[in-house]
Amino acid sequence: VQLQASGGGLVQPGGSLRLSCAASGLSFSNYVVGWFRQAPGKEREFVAAVARRGGNAVYSESVKGRFTSSKDNAKNTMYLQMNSLKPEDTADYYCAADRSIIWGMIRRPSEYDYWGQGTLVTVSS
């Protein structure tokens, strides 16, 4: 199983980026998928998660209304559209997936079995 995250980069405050995470070795339709981020010196924090069928997504309060997470089960790919970016959004962003996670636990990094490598997002003028 492999998750491959991409799409990070340098963007000015107020700008947008779209992260992608492609999976191999598993079928996304059977997995809850999540996005987490980790800034230097801080713990990894929950950003967003999408339900197995893709119809339900939840977000942290810090990104709600600005970020949109989705997944294309046919392509085995998940996305994080980030708009109105702020300097405090600067972090390494990670995608994660788990088949058996309980929906009430989706904000806990320890509940996910599979992780992609981080992709760095830097928001700066």
Side-chain angles (χ1 to χ4, degrees):
V1 173
Q2 187 173 18
L3 302 180
Q4 183 73 35
S6 61
L10 174 64
V11 62
Q12 292 187 342
S16 298
L17 276 178
R18 188 194 197 202
L19 305 184
S20 299
C21 179
S24 59
L26 58 81
S27 175
F28 258 177
S29 61
N30 296 321
Y31 285 75
V32 169
V33 296
W35 288 98
F36 291 79
R37 67 186 182 185
Q38 189 165 18
K42 295 188 176 181
E43 293 186 352
R44 191 166 297 189
E45 67 169 344
F46 171 78
V47 175
V50 182
R52 291 172 179 82
R53 294 185 179 181
N56 188 21
V58 295
Y59 302 90
S60 67
E61 287 300 317
S62 61
V63 308
K64 192 178 294 184
R66 300 187 297 122
F67 291 11
T68 303
S69 185
S70 62
K71 62 172 181 165
D72 186 332
N73 287 335
K75 294 182 178 180
N76 251 13
T77 302
M78 57 192 284
Y79 306 97
L80 185 68
Q81 177 66 43
M82 306 185 294
N83 299 328
S84 302
L85 282 161
K86 305 175 181 180
E88 51 263 43
D89 294 318
T90 295
D92 282 307
Y93 283 71
Y94 298 86
C95 54
D98 196 273
R99 185 184 179 106
S100 60
I101 191 171
I102 299 172
W103 189 245
M105 301 293 218
I106 58 171
R107 289 175 169 80
R108 299 186 180 187
S110 60
E111 295 296 316
Y112 290 82
D113 282 342
Y114 302 110
W115 289 85
Q117 88 292 357
T119 184
L120 179 62
V121 172
T122 303
V123 185
S124 175
S125 56

